[in-house]
Amino acid sequence: MRQDPSTIKGAETLMLGEMLTLPQNFGNIFLGETFSSYISVHNDSTQIVKEILVKADLQTSSQRLNLSTSNSAVAELKPECCIDDVIHHEVKEIGTHILVCAVSYTTQLGEKLYFRKFFKFQVNMLVILLLPTPALQTDEVFLEAQIQNITTSPMFMEKVSLEPTIMYNVTELNTVASGDDGESTFGKMSYLQPMDTRQYLYCLKPKAEYAEKAGVIKGVTMIGKLDIVWRTNLGEKGRLQTSQLQRMAPGYGDIRLSLEIIPDTVNLEEPFDIVCKITNCSERTMDLVVEMCNTRSIHWCGISGRQLGKLSPGGSLLVPLTIFSSVQGLQSISGLRLTDTFLKRTYEYDDIAQVCVICPYTSNEC
């Protein structure tokens, strides 16, 4: 700026410099930002005009909004004087917007005159891709929010958070444990460059009072709202909040089987204990029998065909079981079968969970 002859002397000491000049057009406006406009009505004539009323409306595809800060008329406007107004509006719709500025006034001869001006602009939106995915055999829901900056300037991401519904607690998975405080996976400076994309991950778990009610969680599809706050290069704030996000309702069927306790790593050919939770998701009482079928790698210990007793609607019970693996590596626990003796109906469960099987000996011994 010092070397530019068109720059005012000393302007380099101002951080904003020549960017203080008001733009002649609206530029790029995005959903969630605040639309601001300076309106000036100037008396170019040599006569005093009276009862000047300035009205600013914003026309969208669905509604017409009055943005004027005052709806009362100005008594008079002298030559070379002006009426100024600054309007603001948080943009909540995409598509074509038209700012309609209307001015009515009365001349010295008592003639009432009226004119309008139209300013048209487009409102675009940030590209957001939401991918809610239910976790296998659990009530957990993992949500990935993919956000892309489609503006032409860097964007500072002030906040990206998930506001869960009353039935869920949310955990943000966007930090890496480092000492006492977690460090953001995106680094210290949360800037999003033009056309860059960033993924945010969240985990939702049912609250304890709802987790025990299988029928309630089974029918829940609403999981929460995503709240995004950003700032552009001059500090203008934008905010976007989605509508209620939905997940695919889990298809538990009549009986839900989940693992409450399972070790992460076990030794080859050594028995280990697991605890299964069986929940009656139907509206009838069941009389259950559990059967265990060995697979190529998983072998069950104990009596197959054991009676578990009656289970009332919405009720659950814990069943401890013992198994061992004859094959190393990541193994899927399969081969459980439940039978309701009342209806003679059988439910089979495969790929209930996975466990890592290691050899505790040297490679030669294994």
Side-chain angles (χ1 to χ4, degrees):
M1 293 182 69
R2 289 195 187 101
Q3 297 172 357
D4 187 354
S6 65
T7 302
I8 300 174
K9 184 179 179 180
E12 71 276 2
T13 60
L14 295 174
M15 181 181 295
L16 300 181
E18 294 176 333
M19 298 180 73
L20 286 172
T21 303
L22 287 174
Q24 297 303 309
N25 53 51
F26 293 130
N28 296 319
I29 299 176
F30 296 92
L31 185 69
E33 293 183 340
T34 299
F35 165 73
S36 299
S37 183
Y38 168 69
I39 299 174
S40 180
V41 178
H42 187 268
N43 185 359
D44 294 335
S45 70
T46 58
Q47 301 177 0
I48 297 176
V49 294
K50 298 181 179 181
E51 298 178 359
I52 306 97
L53 180 62
V54 182
K55 187 177 181 182
D57 291 344
L58 186 64
Q59 178 70 55
T60 70
S61 59
S62 63
Q63 58 183 333
R64 189 182 182 104
L65 303 168
N66 181 19
L67 303 185
S68 300
T69 56
S70 175
N71 293 319
S72 58
V74 177
E76 65 176 25
L77 184 62
K78 297 179 180 180
E80 300 302 324
C81 293
C82 59
I83 299 172
D84 299 322
D85 192 11
V86 178
I87 58 174
H88 303 281
H89 173 66
E90 184 178 344
V91 181
K92 298 180 180 179
E93 295 183 44
I94 60 174
T96 303
H97 288 57
I98 303 175
L99 179 64
V100 183
C101 296
V103 180
S104 62
Y105 61 96
T106 304
T107 65
Q108 287 183 337
L109 299 176
E111 184 181 6
K112 292 186 178 295
L113 298 178
Y114 173 84
F115 69 91
R116 291 189 302 175
K117 282 196 173 183
F118 300 88
F119 303 91
K120 186 177 181 180
F121 61 95
Q122 293 288 332
V123 175
N124 301 315
M125 70 174 298
L126 298 170
V127 177
I128 302 173
L129 179 62
L130 303 172
L131 302 172
T133 306
L136 183 64
Q137 297 293 338
T138 72
D139 288 324
E140 295 180 353
V141 178
F142 288 93
L143 176 76
E144 178 191 9
Q146 189 177 77
I147 300 176
Q148 183 182 20
N149 177 10
I150 61 173
T151 67
T152 57
S153 59
M155 180 182 295
F156 176 75
M157 304 305 297
E158 190 168 289
K159 184 181 76 167
V160 180
S161 62
L162 182 63
E163 300 176 0
T165 57
I166 190 173
M167 292 187 178
Y168 286 97
N169 290 319
V170 64
T171 303
E172 293 192 13
L173 304 178
N174 304 309
T175 56
V176 178
S178 177
D180 296 334
D181 299 325
E183 182 179 347
S184 172
T185 55
F186 310 115
K188 295 181 179 179
M189 305 301 290
S190 187
Y191 287 102
L192 195 58
Q193 298 296 332
M195 302 311 296
D196 278 0
T197 303
R198 181 178 288 181
Q199 287 83 19
Y200 293 84
L201 186 62
Y202 305 90
C203 177
L204 296 107
K205 295 182 180 180
K207 294 181 180 178
E209 57 267 32
Y210 299 107
E212 298 298 326
K213 301 176 182 179
V216 173
I217 291 297
K218 181 180 178 181
V220 172
T221 58
M222 303 293 185
I223 57 176
K225 297 179 180 180
L226 196 66
D227 192 19
I228 307 168
V229 180
W230 69 90
R231 291 186 183 271
T232 53
N233 52 2
L234 285 181
E236 297 101 330
K237 190 174 184 179
R239 181 182 181 185
L240 181 64
Q241 188 176 67
T242 66
S243 56
Q244 280 288 347
L245 305 176
Q246 295 187 354
R247 67 160 183 168
M248 185 180 296
Y252 297 143
D254 292 340
I255 304 178
R256 180 190 173 198
L257 177 69
S258 60
L259 284 184
E260 294 292 298
I261 299 176
I262 181 174
D264 295 328
T265 304
V266 298
N267 291 331
L268 181 69
E269 296 181 348
E270 287 188 9
F272 61 93
D273 297 327
I274 63 173
V275 176
C276 296
K277 183 178 181 180
I278 300 173
T279 305
N280 183 358
C281 298
S282 70
E283 298 179 354
R284 55 185 175 80
T285 301
M286 296 183 175
D287 186 24
L288 298 177
V289 174
V290 59
E291 297 177 82
M292 302 171 290
C293 305
N294 293 334
T295 64
R296 185 183 67 86
S297 59
I298 296 297
H299 305 272
W300 297 89
C301 304
I303 302 174
S304 181
R306 178 158 52 107
Q307 287 278 352
L308 298 179
K310 295 181 180 179
L311 189 60
S312 58
S316 60
L317 58 89
L318 299 177
V319 180
L321 297 169
T322 303
I323 57 178
F324 70 89
S325 175
S326 58
V327 180
Q328 294 184 77
L330 193 63
Q331 303 299 326
S332 294
I333 297 178
S334 303
L336 270 184
R337 183 185 302 157
L338 294 173
T339 302
D340 179 13
T341 59
F342 286 156
L343 296 182
K344 305 298 182 183
R345 186 175 296 174
T346 300
Y347 307 88
E348 296 186 359
Y349 298 90
D350 293 319
D351 297 325
I352 304 169
Q354 292 183 325
V355 64
C356 182
V357 182
I358 62 173
C359 181
Y361 312 107
T362 62
S363 58
N364 292 333
E365 292 173 329
C366 284

